Amino acid sequence: MAENIDVHPEGDALLVFAEETPALERAEAYWKVLIVDDEPEVHKVTRVVLRDFLFQGLHLDFISAYSAGEAREVLQKESDIALILLDVVMETEDAGLQLVRHIRDELNNSRVRIILRTGQPGHAPEQQVVQEYDINDYRSKTELTAHHLLTTVISSLRAYTVIRDLDALNCRLESEVEARTRELQLAHDKLKTSLQALEEGERAGKRVQFKLLPERHKQFGDYHFSHRLKPSEFMSGDFLDYFRIDDERVGFYIADVSGHGVASAFVTVYLKRFMGTSLYGFQCKQHERITDPAALLSELNQELLREQMSKYIALFYGVLNIRDHTICYANAGAYPWPLFFDEHNQAEFIELKSTPVGMFDFSDYQNHTRQLPSSCRLLMFSDGVLDLLPGANNDDKLRRLTGSICTPERSVDEIIENLSIPDDQVLPDDLTILKIERRSD
């Protein structure tokens, strides 16, 4: 086969082939990639650049369509395509964009990763396309060198496998354990709902993410849990949960994923799955990390690093014993620190300096235990609260938080009200508040 190499102005090599390499014979297992482009040469180059590519031990199986119309016929038959490399301008100037609408809205396919490739960026400006269409990346054809194409395919398949494996895990757990707790079953149903509803876009995504949250108010023994989460203009990178572990223990956490938007929101779903799996492992007597905050944070840290998500999570996790009234907790970079009010309503920040999970492989997390008095309150915040407080520095803001904003008797709704956030204001960062309260009779 004849092969020519042209050098990109920035130094990368663009491969142009005179004749197409025969496609690999279909294996029993492979990643399906649909190439949609009206230029045959693009199909040839893509196939040759990726012909020896392996991801998780599997080759790629290429399917070619030379128009949006052909692609629609393929998508009617092939339901397990992992990645679509899609041209914008084909039989019409917006044929590729209309195909995106068809995939997301009519076929209800939210799993497949869609990478737009265009040789005419002026026909579809990047910012407008990314805002209006549910795609996963947007590249000009001159930008997609061999190296960039490989990295784009790797990141796309990694995201696809996380979504696929998450759905498969929930189905497997449901079939293995019929007597799962009501809370886990509800989380599973909400998760399925969320995957089906991603087509609605960012606004619908916000509604779906809120369905994964626990009840706004929940009583466990003498302890009342309540929370509020207010996202910024994007889907929330904040998350929280509280759930019963066994008859005497309750787990709870507040988390803040780095960044904003859909990518950070997806990591909160990943976190929800990790916690659910850990709880399931405890119920099956496989391990007890759900009852050991430091061990759980260490395992989550290693899992995020293995997955190379390029995201980290500031996370405070605690286990409350509602019988002996003790709390065991560990912190992974959560700030502001939790605010504790004792029986005399004296305020104290529980200062625990540490690093977020998913950032360093040498992170070390420690358990701490506290006996709870007959009347006490524990308040936790995401760092979005600091953006709403006046002050020259964080110390000034925390003093205001413990002074006029967070008096012990105020509910989370009253705390939000005292932050004086106008209804039409776009928050600079996600805001989450979690309150745990024990009152003496």
Coordinates of all heavy atoms in Angstrom, one line a residue, residues 94-181:
D94 N -26.0 21.7 7.2 CA -26.2 21.3 8.6 C -26.6 19.8 8.7 O -27.2 19.4 9.7 CB -27.2 22.2 9.3 CG -28.6 22.1 8.7 OD1 -28.7 21.5 7.6 OD2 -29.5 22.5 9.4
A95 N -26.2 19.0 7.8 CA -26.7 17.6 7.8 C -26.2 16.9 9.0 O -26.9 16.1 9.7 CB -26.2 16.9 6.5
G96 N -24.9 17.1 9.4 CA -24.4 16.5 10.6 C -25.1 17.0 11.9 O -25.4 16.1 12.8
L97 N -25.4 18.2 12.0 CA -26.1 18.7 13.2 C -27.5 18.2 13.3 O -28.0 17.8 14.4 CB -26.2 20.3 13.1 CG -24.8 21.0 13.1 CD1 -25.0 22.5 13.1 CD2 -24.0 20.6 14.3
Q98 N -28.2 18.0 12.1 CA -29.5 17.4 12.2 C -29.5 16.0 12.6 O -30.4 15.4 13.2 CB -30.2 17.6 10.8 CG -30.5 19.0 10.4 CD -31.4 19.7 11.5 OE1 -32.4 19.1 12.0 NE2 -31.0 20.9 11.8
L99 N -28.4 15.3 12.2 CA -28.2 13.9 12.6 C -28.0 13.8 14.1 O -28.5 12.9 14.7 CB -27.0 13.3 11.9 CG -26.7 11.8 12.2 CD1 -27.9 10.9 11.8 CD2 -25.5 11.3 11.4
V100 N -27.3 14.8 14.7 CA -27.2 14.8 16.2 C -28.5 14.9 16.8 O -28.8 14.2 17.8 CB -26.3 16.0 16.6 CG1 -26.3 16.1 18.1 CG2 -24.9 15.8 16.1
R101 N -29.4 15.8 16.3 CA -30.8 15.9 16.8 C -31.5 14.5 16.7 O -32.2 14.1 17.6 CB -31.5 16.9 16.0 CG -31.0 18.4 16.2 CD -31.4 19.0 17.5 NE -31.2 20.4 17.4 CZ -31.0 21.2 18.4 NH1 -31.0 20.7 19.6 NH2 -30.9 22.5 18.3
H102 N -31.3 13.9 15.6 CA -32.0 12.6 15.3 C -31.5 11.6 16.3 O -32.4 10.8 16.9 CB -31.7 12.1 13.9 CG -32.2 10.8 13.6 ND1 -33.6 10.5 13.4 CD2 -31.6 9.6 13.4 CE1 -33.8 9.2 13.2 NE2 -32.6 8.6 13.2
I103 N -30.2 11.5 16.6 CA -29.7 10.5 17.5 C -30.2 10.7 18.9 O -30.6 9.8 19.6 CB -28.1 10.5 17.4 CG1 -27.6 10.1 16.1 CG2 -27.5 9.7 18.6 CD1 -26.2 10.3 15.8
R104 N -30.1 12.0 19.4 CA -30.4 12.2 20.8 C -31.9 12.3 21.0 O -32.4 11.7 22.0 CB -29.8 13.6 21.2 CG -28.3 13.7 21.1 CD -27.6 12.6 21.9 NE -26.2 12.8 22.1 CZ -25.2 11.9 22.3 NH1 -25.6 10.7 22.4 NH2 -24.0 12.3 22.5
D105 N -32.7 12.9 20.1 CA -34.1 13.2 20.4 C -35.0 12.1 19.9 O -36.0 11.8 20.5 CB -34.5 14.5 19.8 CG -33.7 15.7 20.4 OD1 -33.2 15.5 21.6 OD2 -33.7 16.8 19.8
E106 N -34.7 11.5 18.7 CA -35.6 10.5 18.1 C -35.2 9.1 18.4 O -36.1 8.3 18.8 CB -35.7 10.7 16.6 CG -36.3 12.1 16.2 CD -36.3 12.3 14.7 OE1 -36.5 11.3 14.0 OE2 -36.2 13.4 14.2
L107 N -33.9 8.8 18.4 CA -33.5 7.5 18.8 C -33.3 7.3 20.3 O -33.1 6.2 20.8 CB -32.2 7.2 18.0 CG -32.2 7.1 16.5 CD1 -30.9 6.7 16.0 CD2 -33.3 6.2 16.0
N108 N -33.3 8.5 21.0 CA -33.1 8.4 22.5 C -31.8 7.7 22.8 O -31.8 7.0 23.8 CB -34.3 7.7 23.1 CG -35.6 8.5 22.9 OD1 -35.6 9.7 22.9 ND2 -36.7 7.8 22.8
N109 N -30.8 8.0 22.1 CA -29.5 7.3 22.3 C -28.6 8.4 23.0 O -28.0 9.3 22.4 CB -28.9 6.9 21.0 CG -27.6 6.0 21.2 OD1 -27.0 6.1 22.3 ND2 -27.2 5.2 20.3
S110 N -28.4 8.2 24.3 CA -27.6 9.1 25.1 C -26.2 8.5 25.4 O -25.4 9.2 26.0 CB -28.3 9.5 26.4 OG -28.6 8.4 27.2
R111 N -26.0 7.3 25.0 CA -24.7 6.6 25.4 C -23.6 7.0 24.4 O -22.5 7.2 24.7 CB -24.9 5.1 25.4 CG -25.6 4.6 26.7 CD -25.5 3.1 26.7 NE -26.3 2.6 27.8 CZ -26.4 1.3 28.1 NH1 -25.7 0.4 27.3 NH2 -27.1 0.8 29.1
V112 N -24.0 6.9 23.1 CA -23.0 7.0 22.0 C -22.2 8.3 22.1 O -22.9 9.4 22.4 CB -23.6 6.8 20.6 CG1 -24.6 7.9 20.3 CG2 -22.5 6.7 19.6
R113 N -20.9 8.3 22.0 CA -20.1 9.5 22.0 C -20.1 10.1 20.6 O -19.8 9.4 19.6 CB -18.7 9.3 22.5 CG -18.6 8.6 23.8 CD -19.1 9.5 25.0 NE -20.5 9.3 25.2 CZ -21.2 10.1 26.0 NH1 -20.6 11.1 26.5 NH2 -22.5 9.9 26.1
I114 N -20.3 11.4 20.4 CA -20.3 12.0 19.1 C -19.2 13.1 19.0 O -19.2 14.0 19.8 CB -21.7 12.7 18.8 CG1 -22.8 11.6 18.9 CG2 -21.7 13.4 17.5 CD1 -24.2 12.2 18.8
I115 N -18.3 12.9 18.1 CA -17.2 13.8 17.8 C -17.5 14.5 16.5 O -17.5 13.8 15.4 CB -15.9 13.2 17.8 CG1 -15.7 12.3 19.0 CG2 -14.8 14.2 17.6 CD1 -15.7 13.0 20.3
L116 N -17.8 15.8 16.5 CA -18.0 16.5 15.2 C -16.6 16.9 14.6 O -15.7 17.4 15.2 CB -18.8 17.8 15.4 CG -20.3 17.7 15.6 CD1 -20.9 19.0 15.7 CD2 -20.9 16.9 14.5
R117 N -16.5 16.6 13.3 CA -15.3 17.0 12.5 C -15.8 17.8 11.3 O -16.7 17.4 10.6 CB -14.6 15.8 12.0 CG -14.2 14.8 13.1 CD -13.2 13.8 12.6 NE -13.7 12.8 11.6 CZ -13.1 11.8 11.1 NH1 -11.8 11.6 11.5 NH2 -13.6 11.0 10.3
T118 N -15.2 19.0 11.1 CA -15.6 19.8 10.0 C -14.4 20.4 9.3 O -13.4 20.7 9.9 CB -16.5 21.0 10.5 OG1 -16.9 21.8 9.4 CG2 -15.8 21.8 11.6
G119 N -14.5 20.5 8.0 CA -13.5 21.2 7.2 C -13.9 22.6 6.9 O -13.1 23.3 6.3
Q120 N -15.1 23.0 7.4 CA -15.6 24.4 7.1 C -16.1 24.9 8.4 O -17.3 25.0 8.6 CB -16.7 24.3 6.1 CG -16.2 23.6 4.8 CD -17.4 23.6 3.8 OE1 -18.0 24.6 3.5 NE2 -17.6 22.3 3.3
P121 N -15.2 25.3 9.4 CA -15.7 25.8 10.7 C -16.7 27.0 10.6 O -17.5 27.1 11.5 CB -14.4 26.2 11.4 CG -13.3 25.4 10.7 CD -13.8 25.3 9.2
G122 N -16.6 27.8 9.6 CA -17.4 28.9 9.5 C -18.9 28.6 9.3 O -19.8 29.4 9.7
H123 N -19.2 27.4 8.8 CA -20.6 27.0 8.6 C -21.3 26.7 10.0 O -22.5 26.7 10.1 CB -20.7 25.8 7.7 CG -20.5 26.1 6.3 ND1 -21.5 26.7 5.5 CD2 -19.4 25.9 5.5 CE1 -21.0 26.9 4.3 NE2 -19.8 26.4 4.2
A124 N -20.5 26.3 10.9 CA -21.0 25.9 12.3 C -20.0 26.3 13.3 O -19.1 25.6 13.7 CB -21.2 24.4 12.3
P125 N -20.1 27.6 13.8 CA -19.2 28.1 14.8 C -19.2 27.2 16.1 O -20.2 26.7 16.5 CB -19.8 29.5 15.2 CG -20.6 29.9 13.9 CD -21.1 28.6 13.4
E126 N -18.0 26.9 16.6 CA -17.8 26.0 17.7 C -18.6 26.3 18.9 O -19.3 25.5 19.5 CB -16.3 25.9 18.1 CG -16.1 24.9 19.2 CD -14.6 24.8 19.5 OE1 -13.8 25.4 18.8 OE2 -14.3 24.1 20.5
Q127 N -18.6 27.6 19.4 CA -19.3 27.9 20.6 C -20.8 27.7 20.4 O -21.5 27.1 21.3 CB -19.0 29.4 20.9 CG -19.7 29.8 22.2 CD -19.4 31.3 22.6 OE1 -18.6 31.9 21.9 NE2 -20.0 31.8 23.6
Q128 N -21.4 28.1 19.3 CA -22.8 27.9 19.1 C -23.2 26.4 19.1 O -24.2 26.0 19.6 CB -23.2 28.6 17.8 CG -24.7 28.4 17.4 CD -25.0 29.0 16.1 OE1 -24.2 29.7 15.5 NE2 -26.2 28.7 15.6
V129 N -22.4 25.6 18.4 CA -22.6 24.2 18.3 C -22.6 23.5 19.6 O -23.5 22.7 20.0 CB -21.7 23.5 17.3 CG1 -21.8 22.0 17.3 CG2 -21.9 24.0 15.9
V130 N -21.5 23.8 20.4 CA -21.4 23.2 21.7 C -22.5 23.5 22.6 O -23.0 22.7 23.4 CB -20.0 23.6 22.3 CG1 -19.9 23.1 23.8 CG2 -18.9 23.0 21.5
Q131 N -23.0 24.7 22.5 CA -24.1 25.2 23.4 C -25.5 24.6 23.0 O -26.3 24.2 23.9 CB -24.2 26.7 23.4 CG -23.1 27.4 24.1 CD -23.2 28.9 24.0 OE1 -23.9 29.5 23.1 NE2 -22.5 29.6 24.9
E132 N -25.7 24.4 21.7 CA -27.0 24.0 21.2 C -27.2 22.5 21.0 O -28.3 22.0 20.8 CB -27.3 24.8 20.0 CG -27.4 26.3 20.2 CD -27.8 27.1 19.0 OE1 -28.1 26.4 17.9 OE2 -27.8 28.3 19.0
Y133 N -26.1 21.8 20.9 CA -26.2 20.4 20.5 C -25.5 19.5 21.5 O -24.4 19.8 22.0 CB -25.6 20.1 19.1 CG -26.3 20.8 18.0 CD1 -26.0 22.2 17.7 CD2 -27.4 20.2 17.3 CE1 -26.8 22.8 16.7 CE2 -28.1 20.9 16.3 CZ -27.8 22.2 16.0 OH -28.5 22.8 15.0
D134 N -26.0 18.3 21.7 CA -25.5 17.4 22.7 C -24.4 16.6 22.1 O -24.6 15.4 21.7 CB -26.6 16.5 23.2 CG -26.2 15.6 24.4 OD1 -25.0 15.7 24.8 OD2 -27.0 14.8 24.8
I135 N -23.2 17.2 22.0 CA -22.1 16.5 21.4 C -21.0 16.4 22.5 O -21.1 17.0 23.5 CB -21.5 17.2 20.2 CG1 -21.0 18.6 20.6 CG2 -22.5 17.3 19.1 CD1 -20.3 19.4 19.5
N136 N -20.0 15.6 22.2 CA -18.9 15.4 23.2 C -17.6 16.0 22.8 O -16.7 16.2 23.7 CB -18.7 13.9 23.3 CG -20.0 13.2 23.7 OD1 -20.6 12.5 22.9 ND2 -20.5 13.4 24.9
D137 N -17.4 16.4 21.6 CA -16.2 17.2 21.2 C -16.5 17.8 19.8 O -17.3 17.3 19.0 CB -15.0 16.2 21.1 CG -13.7 17.0 21.3 OD1 -13.7 18.3 21.3 OD2 -12.6 16.4 21.5
Y138 N -15.7 18.8 19.5 CA -15.8 19.5 18.2 C -14.4 19.8 17.7 O -13.7 20.6 18.4 CB -16.7 20.8 18.4 CG -17.0 21.5 17.1 CD1 -18.1 21.3 16.4 CD2 -16.1 22.5 16.7 CE1 -18.4 22.0 15.3 CE2 -16.4 23.2 15.5 CZ -17.5 23.0 14.8 OH -17.8 23.7 13.7
R139 N -14.1 19.3 16.6 CA -12.7 19.5 16.1 C -12.8 19.8 14.5 O -13.6 19.3 13.8 CB -11.8 18.3 16.3 CG -11.6 17.8 17.7 CD -10.8 18.9 18.5 NE -10.6 18.4 19.8 CZ -9.4 17.9 20.2 NH1 -8.4 17.7 19.4 NH2 -9.3 17.5 21.5
S140 N -11.8 20.7 14.1 CA -11.7 20.9 12.7 C -10.8 19.7 12.1 O -10.0 19.1 12.9 CB -11.0 22.2 12.4 OG -9.6 22.2 12.8
K141 N -11.0 19.4 10.8 CA -10.3 18.2 10.3 C -8.8 18.5 10.3 O -8.0 17.5 10.4 CB -10.8 17.9 8.9 CG -12.2 17.4 8.9 CD -12.7 17.1 7.5 CE -14.1 16.6 7.5 NZ -14.7 16.3 6.2
T142 N -8.4 19.7 10.1 CA -6.9 20.0 10.1 C -6.3 19.9 11.5 O -5.2 19.6 11.7 CB -6.7 21.4 9.6 OG1 -7.4 22.4 10.4 CG2 -7.1 21.6 8.2
E143 N -7.2 20.0 12.5 CA -6.7 19.9 13.9 C -6.6 18.4 14.3 O -5.8 18.1 15.2 CB -7.8 20.6 14.8 CG -7.4 20.6 16.3 CD -8.5 21.1 17.2 OE1 -9.6 21.4 16.6 OE2 -8.3 21.3 18.4
L144 N -7.3 17.5 13.7 CA -7.3 16.1 14.1 C -6.2 15.4 13.4 O -6.3 14.7 12.5 CB -8.6 15.5 13.8 CG -9.7 15.5 14.9 CD1 -11.0 14.8 14.4 CD2 -9.2 14.9 16.2
T145 N -5.0 15.7 13.9 CA -3.8 14.9 13.5 C -3.9 13.5 14.0 O -4.8 13.1 14.8 CB -2.5 15.5 14.0 OG1 -2.6 15.5 15.4 CG2 -2.4 17.0 13.5
A146 N -3.0 12.6 13.6 CA -3.0 11.2 14.0 C -3.0 11.2 15.5 O -3.7 10.4 16.2 CB -1.8 10.5 13.4
H147 N -2.1 12.0 16.1 CA -2.0 11.9 17.6 C -3.3 12.4 18.3 O -3.8 11.8 19.2 CB -0.8 12.8 18.0 CG -0.7 13.0 19.5 ND1 -0.3 12.0 20.4 CD2 -1.0 14.1 20.3 CE1 -0.4 12.5 21.6 NE2 -0.8 13.7 21.6
H148 N -3.8 13.5 17.8 CA -5.0 14.0 18.4 C -6.2 13.1 18.2 O -7.1 13.0 19.0 CB -5.3 15.4 17.8 CG -4.4 16.5 18.3 ND1 -4.2 17.7 17.6 CD2 -3.7 16.6 19.5 CE1 -3.3 18.4 18.3 NE2 -3.0 17.8 19.4
L149 N -6.3 12.5 17.0 CA -7.4 11.5 16.8 C -7.3 10.3 17.8 O -8.3 9.9 18.3 CB -7.3 11.0 15.4 CG -8.4 10.0 14.9 CD1 -9.8 10.6 15.1 CD2 -8.2 9.5 13.5
L150 N -6.1 9.8 18.0 CA -6.0 8.8 19.0 C -6.4 9.2 20.4 O -7.1 8.4 21.1 CB -4.5 8.3 19.0 CG -4.0 7.5 17.8 CD1 -2.5 7.3 17.8 CD2 -4.7 6.1 17.8
T151 N -6.0 10.3 20.9 CA -6.3 10.8 22.2 C -7.8 11.0 22.3 O -8.5 10.7 23.3 CB -5.6 12.0 22.6 OG1 -5.8 13.1 21.6 CG2 -4.1 11.7 22.7
T152 N -8.4 11.5 21.2 CA -9.9 11.8 21.2 C -10.7 10.5 21.3 O -11.6 10.4 22.0 CB -10.3 12.6 20.0 OG1 -9.6 13.8 20.0 CG2 -11.8 12.8 19.9
V153 N -10.2 9.5 20.6 CA -10.9 8.2 20.6 C -10.8 7.5 22.0 O -11.7 7.0 22.5 CB -10.3 7.2 19.5 CG1 -10.9 5.8 19.7 CG2 -10.7 7.8 18.1
I154 N -9.6 7.6 22.6 CA -9.4 7.0 23.9 C -10.3 7.7 24.9 O -11.0 7.0 25.7 CB -7.9 7.2 24.3 CG1 -7.0 6.3 23.5 CG2 -7.7 6.9 25.8 CD1 -5.5 6.6 23.7
S155 N -10.3 9.0 25.0 CA -11.2 9.7 26.0 C -12.7 9.4 25.7 O -13.5 9.2 26.7 CB -10.9 11.2 25.9 OG -11.2 11.8 24.7
S156 N -13.1 9.3 24.5 CA -14.5 9.0 24.1 C -14.9 7.6 24.6 O -15.9 7.4 25.2 CB -14.7 9.2 22.6 OG -14.5 10.5 22.2
L157 N -14.0 6.6 24.3 CA -14.3 5.2 24.6 C -14.3 5.1 26.2 O -15.1 4.3 26.7 CB -13.4 4.3 24.0 CG -13.5 4.1 22.5 CD1 -12.4 3.1 22.0 CD2 -14.9 3.7 22.1
R158 N -13.4 5.8 26.8 CA -13.4 5.7 28.3 C -14.7 6.2 28.9 O -15.3 5.6 29.8 CB -12.2 6.5 28.8 CG -12.1 6.5 30.4 CD -10.9 7.2 30.8 NE -9.7 6.5 30.4 CZ -8.6 7.0 29.8 NH1 -8.6 8.3 29.6 NH2 -7.6 6.3 29.5
A159 N -15.2 7.4 28.4 CA -16.5 7.9 28.9 C -17.6 6.9 28.5 O -18.5 6.7 29.4 CB -16.8 9.2 28.2
Y160 N -17.6 6.3 27.3 CA -18.7 5.4 26.9 C -18.7 4.2 27.9 O -19.7 3.7 28.3 CB -18.4 5.0 25.5 CG -19.3 3.8 25.0 CD1 -20.6 4.1 24.6 CD2 -18.9 2.5 25.0 CE1 -21.5 3.1 24.2 CE2 -19.8 1.5 24.6 CZ -21.0 1.8 24.1 OH -21.9 0.8 23.7
T161 N -17.5 3.6 28.2 CA -17.4 2.4 29.0 C -17.9 2.7 30.4 O -18.5 1.9 31.1 CB -16.0 1.9 29.1 OG1 -15.1 2.9 29.6 CG2 -15.6 1.4 27.7
V162 N -17.6 3.9 31.0 CA -18.1 4.3 32.3 C -19.6 4.3 32.3 O -20.2 3.7 33.2 CB -17.5 5.6 32.7 CG1 -18.2 6.1 34.0 CG2 -16.0 5.5 33.0
I163 N -20.3 4.9 31.3 CA -21.7 4.9 31.3 C -22.3 3.5 31.1 O -23.2 3.1 31.8 CB -22.2 5.8 30.1 CG1 -21.8 7.3 30.4 CG2 -23.7 5.8 30.0 CD1 -22.1 8.2 29.2
R164 N -21.7 2.8 30.2 CA -22.2 1.4 29.9 C -22.0 0.5 31.2 O -22.9 -0.2 31.6 CB -21.4 0.8 28.8 CG -21.8 -0.6 28.4 CD -20.7 -1.3 27.7 NE -19.5 -1.4 28.6 CZ -18.4 -1.9 28.2 NH1 -18.2 -2.3 26.9 NH2 -17.3 -2.0 29.0
D165 N -20.8 0.6 31.8 CA -20.6 -0.3 33.0 C -21.4 0.1 34.2 O -21.9 -0.7 34.9 CB -19.1 -0.2 33.4 CG -18.2 -0.8 32.3 OD1 -18.7 -1.5 31.4 OD2 -17.0 -0.6 32.4
L166 N -21.7 1.4 34.3 CA -22.6 1.9 35.4 C -24.0 1.3 35.2 O -24.6 0.8 36.2 CB -22.6 3.4 35.4 CG -23.4 4.1 36.5 CD1 -22.8 3.7 37.9 CD2 -23.4 5.6 36.3
D167 N -24.5 1.3 34.0 CA -25.8 0.8 33.8 C -25.8 -0.7 34.0 O -26.8 -1.3 34.6 CB -26.2 1.1 32.3 CG -27.7 1.1 32.2 OD1 -28.5 1.2 33.2 OD2 -28.2 1.0 31.0
A168 N -24.8 -1.4 33.5 CA -24.7 -2.8 33.7 C -24.6 -3.2 35.1 O -25.2 -4.2 35.6 CB -23.5 -3.4 32.9
L169 N -23.8 -2.5 35.9 CA -23.7 -2.8 37.3 C -25.0 -2.7 38.1 O -25.3 -3.6 38.8 CB -22.7 -1.8 38.0 CG -22.5 -1.9 39.5 CD1 -22.0 -3.3 39.9 CD2 -21.6 -0.8 40.0
N170 N -25.8 -1.7 37.8 CA -27.1 -1.6 38.5 C -28.0 -2.7 38.1 O -28.7 -3.3 39.0 CB -27.7 -0.2 38.1 CG -27.1 0.9 38.9 OD1 -27.1 0.9 40.1 ND2 -26.7 1.9 38.2
C171 N -28.0 -3.1 36.8 CA -28.8 -4.3 36.5 C -28.4 -5.6 37.1 O -29.2 -6.4 37.6 CB -28.8 -4.4 34.9 SG -29.6 -3.1 34.0
R172 N -27.0 -5.7 37.2 CA -26.5 -6.9 37.9 C -26.9 -7.0 39.3 O -27.2 -8.0 39.9 CB -25.0 -7.0 37.7 CG -24.4 -8.3 38.2 CD -23.0 -8.5 37.7 NE -22.1 -7.5 38.1 CZ -21.6 -6.5 37.4 NH1 -21.9 -6.5 36.1 NH2 -20.7 -5.6 37.9
L173 N -26.7 -5.9 40.0 CA -27.1 -5.8 41.5 C -28.5 -6.1 41.7 O -28.9 -6.8 42.6 CB -26.7 -4.5 42.0 CG -25.2 -4.1 42.1 CD1 -25.1 -2.7 42.7 CD2 -24.5 -5.1 42.9
E174 N -29.4 -5.6 40.8 CA -30.8 -5.9 40.9 C -31.1 -7.4 40.8 O -32.0 -7.9 41.5 CB -31.6 -5.1 39.9 CG -33.1 -5.2 40.1 CD -33.8 -4.3 39.1 OE1 -33.2 -3.8 38.1 OE2 -35.0 -4.2 39.2
S175 N -30.5 -8.0 39.9 CA -30.7 -9.4 39.6 C -30.2 -10.3 40.7 O -30.7 -11.4 41.1 CB -30.2 -9.9 38.3 OG -28.8 -9.8 38.3
E176 N -29.0 -9.9 41.4 CA -28.4 -10.7 42.4 C -29.0 -10.6 43.7 O -29.1 -11.5 44.5 CB -26.9 -10.3 42.5 CG -26.1 -10.7 41.3 CD -24.6 -10.2 41.4 OE1 -24.4 -9.4 42.3 OE2 -23.8 -10.5 40.5
V177 N -29.6 -9.4 44.0 CA -30.1 -9.2 45.4 C -31.5 -8.7 45.2 O -31.7 -7.5 44.9 CB -29.2 -8.2 46.2 CG1 -29.8 -8.1 47.6 CG2 -27.8 -8.8 46.3
E178 N -32.5 -9.5 45.5 CA -33.9 -9.1 45.4 C -34.3 -8.2 46.5 O -35.2 -7.4 46.4 CB -34.8 -10.3 45.2 CG -34.6 -11.1 44.0 CD -35.6 -12.3 43.9 OE1 -36.4 -12.5 44.8 OE2 -35.5 -13.0 42.9
A179 N -33.7 -8.5 47.7 CA -34.1 -7.8 48.9 C -33.2 -6.6 49.2 O -32.9 -6.3 50.4 CB -34.0 -8.8 50.1
R180 N -32.8 -5.8 48.2 CA -32.0 -4.6 48.4 C -32.9 -3.6 49.1 O -34.1 -3.6 49.1 CB -31.6 -4.0 47.0 CG -30.6 -4.9 46.3 CD -30.2 -4.2 45.0 NE -29.5 -3.0 45.2 CZ -29.2 -2.2 44.2 NH1 -29.5 -2.4 43.0 NH2 -28.5 -1.1 44.5
T181 N -32.2 -2.7 49.8 CA -32.9 -1.7 50.5 C -33.7 -0.8 49.6 O -33.4 -0.6 48.4 CB -32.0 -0.8 51.4 OG1 -31.1 -0.1 50.4 CG2 -31.1 -1.6 52.3

